Every structure is written in structure tokens, then in C-alpha cells.
Amino acid sequence: MQYCANGIKSWPSAIATLDAVEVQSSNAQPEKFTLTTKFTFTANNQQYSCTQSPYSILTTTSKSSAVSLRDDVLNSDEYIVYYNPVDTNESFYVFNGFLSWSDYERLLKRPE
């Protein structure tokens, strides 16, 4: 699945509840970090789980960036999940238009 694709952005969306978010390092590459997330959302009067996001696909070598992103997710007011109208089990969480770790790291360096 291509993250942040226009196709995903055209899917229906639902407000979700954050169930879990954590920074993980790979056993094979302990210097690389990903952020795993799990959300619950309701569509068509049924509950679904969403674990797909850019964070589960992309890695960063900066643990502090991953921790900062985790904190941003934890402090979000609202979570929006996009789901495939043909197969609601296929869903994706996109945080504030996130495109890549490098884009996120530039946001962290943005002057306030």
C-alpha cells in the first residue's frame, strides 16, 4: 500500500481512538526506529482496528525524532483514519499530512 497516496486521501474517513503508540527498534537494525500505532474506529456500524501508518513503514536513525513524533501523536486532539470503502479492514492513519521522516524532522526544527 502506498502511504499518503491520493487514493487513500479519497477514501472515507472516520474519527478513531488511539489504543497504543510506541517507539520500536529493529532487532536486525537496532539503530533504526519505527513508531507503531494502533487505532480503533467505527465504520458501517462495526469496529475495526488500524495499524497501518507511515510510521510503520518508514524508519529513522534518530530516536529523539521518533520519541518526539510519538509524543505528538499522544497529544493530538483527534485521530483520523482513512479506510477502503470496498474492504474496511484496509485502513490507514495519516498524521497531519505526514510525508516522510525527513519532512517530519524539518518540522521539528521549525522556529516557533
Side-chain angles (χ1 to χ4, degrees):
M1 181 186 325
Q2 179 71 30
Y3 70 90
C4 286
N6 287 333
I8 289 174
K9 287 287 199 170
S10 69
W11 287 353
S13 62
I15 296 175
T17 302
L18 177 65
D19 296 324
V21 59
E22 65 181 63
V23 173
Q24 291 187 329
S25 63
S26 165
N27 289 337
Q29 296 178 306
E31 71 284 354
K32 299 226 177 189
F33 302 93
T34 59
L35 192 68
T36 60
T37 57
K38 182 179 179 192
F39 298 91
T40 302
F41 68 99
T42 302
N44 307 318
N45 295 320
Q46 292 187 24
Q47 277 204 332
Y48 296 91
S49 291
C50 174
T51 58
Q52 294 295 311
S53 74
Y55 323 118
S56 60
I57 296 169
L58 299 173
T59 61
T60 182
T61 56
S62 171
K63 184 173 184 178
S64 64
S65 290
V67 168
S68 181
L69 182 55
R70 179 204 60 204
D71 293 346
D72 284 350
V73 171
L74 284 169
N75 293 318
S76 291
D77 292 333
E78 188 173 70
Y79 306 102
I80 304 294
V81 168
Y82 295 88
Y83 60 92
N84 184 336
V86 176
D87 180 3
T88 309
N89 288 306
E90 185 177 359
S91 57
F92 206 80
Y93 168 68
V94 179
F95 176 72
N96 290 342
F98 179 88
L99 298 174
S100 70
W101 279 112
S102 60
D103 286 346
Y104 179 72
E105 288 166 358
R106 276 195 291 272
L107 286 173
L108 287 178
K109 294 175 186 170
R110 178 180 52 185
E112 307 240 343

